[in-house]
Amino acid sequence: MSGCCYEIDEILNEAIMTGKPVIIVEGINDISIYSNMGASCGVEVYAIEHIDGFSGGSDQVISAIQELNSLPNDTHTLSNHILGIIDKDVRDYRQELPGIEPLLVLKYYSIESHFVSDQIISCCLSNTIKANRDLVSDELCTQMMDEIEAKLSDLYYFSLEALRNSIVPGYSGTISYSGNPGCEINSQTIEDLSDKKHDLDYFAADRGINHCIDTLKSISKGKWLIGIFSRELVNCIKGLQVKCKEGSIKTCRSCNSGDFVNCLYRLKDGFKGYKTIESLIQSYDQCDDVQYIKDRIADIR
């Protein structure tokens, strides 16, 4: 291997010789996520931009897998050693899903989209509030997920407009998936979309798109979704103390004794901002939404 980059054929040879499966991912930020998912399999994870001749992105991962498939090989099956993983983006809506192996196209828009669920809320609460596990019930997590989902209507229409802009020939929308970070919460942009809701509803119905959390995971840019989810989750957690005091959720021992200041539903020190929560929840790989990814990684052998 030369310089700071790895040669694609040498990565394959090393995987064969060491018996360690290799995963090739779209970018550097994906390395830790997939390393955690494949920890039990002892995988090596490479960002595509670290491989000589390639840059970042899903198309480059596809090209790398195609190049590996073209290498002369009479003794080894590529899928026993290598797996490329790419975000779905909106390839399914554009009829552009690649049909090559060994390549896993994610079920949702991107990997971040998989970390939005009541199971993730449960994991988060168990690590960020002072309450014992018996207060973090399935009922509470479902209730919080319902509250958060109810606040995602603006993101739904925002994402529909981006999807429409991406797949409808000749349509020039006000929003695109390449929008700058923070555009999804810009109040002016959201207000501008209000006049388009009827047309967007028609667009959605014409393509069989329903307004639900699974749809958002599929059409919303993952970074938009997880960012808003994390913000709303922090707000929900901060609201638990009032609910505990009122008795609308299971009352903690502190509030039972009248010590409302020390409510056990309050956040631990260090978990005040949504960015901290956003980073934390992407480390939880024990949720149902990522199990198919872990299963596919386990099949590389």
Side-chain angles (χ1 to χ4, degrees), residues 24 61 73 89 147 149 195 204 230 262:
I24 301 175
V61 176
N73 177 32
D89 299 323
E147 290 177 13
E149 189 172 350
D195 294 334
S230 300
N262 290 311

Side-chain angles (χ1 to χ4, degrees), residues 107-122:
K107 174 183 177 182
Y108 297 125
Y109 187 98
S110 67
I111 187 59
E112 293 91 347
S113 314
H114 293 67
F115 298 102
V116 175
S117 69
D118 49 1
Q119 283 185 319
I120 291 295
I121 292 175
S122 178

Side-chain angles (χ1 to χ4, degrees), residues 116-160:
V116 175
S117 69
D118 49 1
Q119 283 185 319
I120 291 295
I121 292 175
S122 178
C123 292
C124 189
L125 289 181
S126 297
N127 287 280
T128 61
I129 64 175
K130 296 179 179 290
N132 294 329
R133 185 66 182 85
D134 62 334
L135 292 179
V136 184
S137 65
D138 291 343
E139 180 183 4
L140 173 64
C141 296
T142 299
Q143 177 184 334
M144 292 175 69
M145 187 67 211
D146 289 343
E147 290 177 13
I148 293 172
E149 189 172 350
K151 296 177 181 179
L152 296 177
S153 180
D154 287 336
L155 180 61
Y156 171 69
Y157 284 105
F158 193 96
S159 302
L160 274 181

Side-chain angles (χ1 to χ4, degrees), residues 148-218:
I148 293 172
E149 189 172 350
K151 296 177 181 179
L152 296 177
S153 180
D154 287 336
L155 180 61
Y156 171 69
Y157 284 105
F158 193 96
S159 302
L160 274 181
E161 174 74 349
L163 177 64
R164 185 183 183 188
N165 198 23
S166 178
I167 69 174
V168 176
Y171 181 72
S172 180
T174 56
I175 296 163
S176 73
Y177 286 116
S178 60
N180 294 327
C183 64
E184 73 279 6
I185 57 172
N186 182 282
S187 58
Q188 184 59 56
T189 305
I190 292 170
E191 184 178 336
D192 292 343
L193 271 182
S194 61
D195 294 334
K196 292 187 174 184
K197 286 186 177 180
H198 178 75
D199 287 343
L200 290 171
D201 283 336
Y202 180 84
F203 165 76
D206 187 53
R207 285 159 176 78
I209 297 172
N210 300 311
H211 189 172
C212 64
I213 193 64
D214 244 33
T215 292
L216 272 173
K217 291 180 183 182
S218 184

